Amino acid sequence: MAKSVVIDLVDVAKVYDGAIPTRALDKANLRIEAGEFVAILGPSGSGKSTLLHLLGALDTPTEGTVSIVGEDISKLDDDGLARLRGQHLGFIFQFHHLLPDFSALENVLMPAFAVTGTPTKDQIAEAMSVLERVGLKGKEKNRVTNLSGGQQQRVAIARALMGGKTIVLADEPTGNLDTENGKEVFRLMREFNKDDGVTFLVVTHDLALAMYADRIVHVIDGKIASDHPNDPMPLDG
Ligand code: ADP
Ligand code: MG
């Protein structure tokens, strides 16, 4: 049976207005199936973050179509985009954007707080379980400022996975970490990919880490310069 397509970009361009308009992405075509683990490589300024913003419905294309779980994002209003993101998309960034005055648990529950004001018992149970899976059992009540950089990034991974997300987009999630912690972040992402079938698109400029992906996409000068399957290196726990 054919796997379902979760992301489909057709002839996508993104132009940023300005005194000199920037064509950050041009004629990009990319089709991602459910359960893939894709690394996106490319030099600084090549358009990786622009691509990830479009894939995450954080921005809309200037030309072409971006479909996420079958929805053409150009046809959605702000509420529709927010709903799509809330249901299907998780985000992990280089600087994790955690709330410093709050605990690990509160940070993971933050999206739930934002929607309903108070998290439900089920949401708290899910957050505790996801924190355990990223190796933070016993640290749930710690303020995130009292956690190490690697632990903070694991809180960010837990937050991105809350709510049974279909797709997780990570923009240089290891950019701020040493080799060991970077590898650990990839190991955890691969585990959620394998165990829960979550689709991952991970921007990195670390070729060694990209070798853990099933597929490697190179972005150069706003174009998808290459797109190849990769036999992933094993990551042992
Ligand atoms: P990367 O993530 O690969 O470093 P980006 O997608 O951030 O690249 O940027 C691609 C190009 O688009 C760069 O030339 C950058 O300066 C430009 N750019 C990115 N975001 C904006 C923006 N909001 N407004 C104007 N130009 C932008
Ligand atoms: Mg970037």
Side-chain angles (χ1 to χ4, degrees), residues 5 19 26 53 67 82 85 96 99 103-104 110 115 134 142 147-148 183 193 195 198-199 204 212 221 224 226-227 234:
V5 174
D26 196 24
H53 282 135
S67 303
R85 286 194 298 267
H96 41 66
L99 300 172
S103 70
M110 205 236 323
V115 176
V134 299
N142 286 38
L147 299 176
S148 72
K183 211 174 147 186
N193 170 250
D195 295 347
V198 179
T199 306
T204 177
Y212 296 118
D221 289 339
I224 295 186
S226 70
D227 182 353

Side-chain angles (χ1 to χ4, degrees), residues 75-108:
K75 298 214 168 94
L76 298 174
D77 59 12
D78 286 349
D79 285 349
L81 291 171
R83 176 188 49 74
L84 182 70
R85 286 194 298 267
Q87 274 183 3
H88 292 287
L89 296 157
F91 299 90
I92 305 169
F93 302 96
Q94 175 174 3
F95 303 102
H96 41 66
H97 301 305
L98 300 176
L99 300 172
D101 293 331
F102 291 86
S103 70
L105 180 63
E106 286 164 333
N107 269 279
V108 172

Side-chain angles (χ1 to χ4, degrees), residues 8-13 28 30 61 63-67 72-75:
D8 199 7
L9 264 68
V10 180
D11 293 333
V12 166
L30 188 66
E63 296 161 23
T65 53
V66 175
S67 303
D72 177 350
I73 64 165
S74 296
K75 298 214 168 94

Side-chain angles (χ1 to χ4, degrees), residues 43-45 47-50 53 94 171-172 203:
S44 180
K48 304 181 299 296
S49 293
T50 299
H53 282 135
Q94 175 174 3
D171 199 351
E172 313 223 7
V203 168

Side-chain angles (χ1 to χ4, degrees), residues 85 88-92 159-162 165-170:
R85 286 194 298 267
H88 292 287
L89 296 157
F91 299 90
I92 305 169
R159 182 184 55 186
L161 267 308
M162 275 290 287
K165 295 297 163 70
T166 316
I167 304 161
V168 169
L169 302 165

Side-chain angles (χ1 to χ4, degrees), residues 16-17 22-25 42-51 53 59 171-172 203 219:
Y16 293 112
D17 288 332
T22 307
R23 188 166 276 266
L25 209 61
S44 180
S46 57
K48 304 181 299 296
S49 293
T50 299
L51 175 64
H53 282 135
D59 207 348
D171 199 351
E172 313 223 7
V203 168
V219 180

